[in-house]
Amino acid sequence: MRFATWEAGGAVTAGVVSDAGLHPLTAGTTVLDLVRAGLPAALDAGSAALDGPAVPLDGVRLLPPLAPPTVRDFVAFEEHVEGVVASVGDGGGVVAEWYEAPTFYFTNPYALIGAHDDVPVPPGSCLFDFECEVAAVVGRDGASLTPEQARDHVFGYTILNDWSARDLQRREMKVQLGPAKGKDSATTLGPWLVTADELEPFRDPDGFLALEMRVAVGGVEVGRDLLSNMGWPFEELISYASRGTWVRAGDVLGSGTCGNGGCLAELWGRRGRQDPPPLRPGDVVEMTVEGIGTIRNRVVAGVDLPPVRPARRRPRSRQR
């Protein structure tokens, strides 16, 4: 089943997606409410909504399918790391520590945008990029979960585009912290949330979801990969995130960017030049993931802000 959130006429509604359109849930019910209620209860509520009238999909603005309490973004594709290290980092290939355990950062839940929203270029950035990912949504609270337990905590999946200002990111990561402003300006989530049971037929013998991922800029394909090329399946990412702490229903965990052109920086690193060029206002980025759907965002000019002031250097004096 597919759950969506949309805006029309100033009103925000949550509902179920069908071939006929969007079927509203009971007034006041959000997708996060359904996630917290659990998958069986959510499927019952969705089935009831499907008996009602449908709203045409082309008459609404799709919003992120839910408002998550937290968003963690992993870096789980080895091929992506190889290319980006050469472009954004200092070269040297994939560090040995990457193989030891999944790595993630917390990104900005207030910067989530819908499947077809415009995306402004972050202030001060000239190297704007996309990142093609799939995200899992946690369906139940849990702490220190085993991977086997964590699989039962997945409510569903959606597409995530982790928009990235590569020039800002490069500076931040030289300080051994972040990324911060290189990443938090916008994250597309959508077009809807597909329940986990819908994607089980794609699970391969190793436990990975073999979903085809494709990304195009201006109608020209620049990347294609399989979600099953992740270094760890989602249940291991959730298990790691919960080690010694909690994951909560509604938390979003991104897979990290797929390889083979899942972002421009990977291609820049491999080719030694900015080919394709950084994103510019007017570019349309389209991502399609098998079994989930398509998101499509247009890049627009961002706000023009004054330069950031450098730090005041600490006055040097003789120590006593």
Side-chain angles (χ1 to χ4, degrees):
M1 191 168 286
R2 296 173 292 170
F3 292 103
T5 302
W6 65 90
E7 185 273 331
V12 175
T13 306
V16 184
V17 184
S18 77
D19 292 340
L22 303 164
H23 303 260
L25 294 164
T26 303
T29 302
T30 69
V31 174
L32 182 57
D33 292 334
L34 294 185
V35 172
R36 287 172 170 164
L39 187 54
L43 293 176
D44 287 344
S47 295
L50 287 171
D51 291 333
V55 176
L57 186 59
D58 60 4
V60 307
R61 173 194 168 207
L62 285 174
L63 302 176
L66 79 165
T70 67
V71 183
R72 296 171 178 85
D73 201 7
F74 283 80
V75 54
F77 287 83
E78 183 181 13
E79 186 175 7
H80 166 74
V81 177
E82 288 175 342
V84 170
V85 164
S87 174
V88 178
D90 295 320
V94 182
V95 297
E97 289 81 1
W98 181 85
Y99 298 94
E100 295 175 5
T103 301
F104 68 89
Y105 74 99
F106 282 94
T107 191
N108 188 357
Y110 307 125
L112 297 180
I113 62 173
H116 304 135
D117 289 343
D118 289 345
V119 183
V121 175
S125 177
C126 295
L127 297 178
F128 197 35
D129 196 359
F130 57 83
E131 296 204 22
C132 183
E133 309 186 25
V134 170
V137 175
V138 176
R140 286 191 288 152
D141 296 358
S144 296
L145 301 168
T146 66
E148 293 74 23
Q149 291 170 330
R151 180 180 289 190
D152 293 333
H153 281 65
V154 178
F155 181 92
Y157 302 91
T158 188
I159 304 173
L160 186 153
N161 184 349
D162 175 32
W163 300 90
S164 301
R166 298 302 186 189
D167 38 4
L168 305 184
Q169 178 189 4
R170 182 181 294 124
R171 179 194 62 78
E172 290 168 341
M173 299 190 76
K174 287 183 179 297
V175 189
Q176 303 298 310
L177 191 65
K181 302 310 295 182
K183 291 281 191 174
D184 78 343
S185 64
T187 301
T188 304
L189 207 64
W192 30 68
L193 177 57
V194 179
T195 54
D197 56 298
E198 293 283 325
L199 299 183
E200 276 304 304
F202 293 94
R203 194 173 295 279
D204 69 16
D206 294 322
F208 294 83
L209 295 174
L211 306 177
E212 185 178 63
M213 306 169 68
R214 291 182 284 118
V215 57
V217 178
V220 178
E221 185 175 288
V222 295
R224 180 189 293 257
D225 200 1
L226 286 174
L227 185 62
S228 52
N229 285 330
M230 294 168 65
W232 301 265
F234 274 107
E235 53 264 35
E236 294 192 32
L237 303 187
I238 295 171
S239 173
Y240 186 76
S242 74
R243 285 174 68 87
T245 187
W246 285 84
V247 291
R248 301 286 188 185
D251 286 353
V252 167
L253 284 75
S255 64
T257 308
C258 66
N260 195 34
C263 70
L264 298 176
E266 179 207 329
L267 299 177
W268 299 341
R270 295 187 184 284
R271 297 171 180 174
R273 61 187 187 280
Q274 290 178 4
D275 176 28
L279 298 174
R280 295 288 183 263
D283 286 339
V284 175
V285 179
E286 180 176 286
M287 296 177 179
T288 299
V289 177
E290 185 179 12
I292 299 180
T294 298
I295 58 176
R296 185 182 303 104
N297 300 99
R298 181 171 62 101
V299 178
V300 298
V303 295
D304 187 14
L305 297 178
V308 177
R309 293 176 59 184
R312 179 179 68 92
R313 293 185 179 272
R314 178 173 63 87
R316 301 289 175 171
S317 61
R318 182 179 300 173
Q319 293 184 352
R320 297 179 180 177

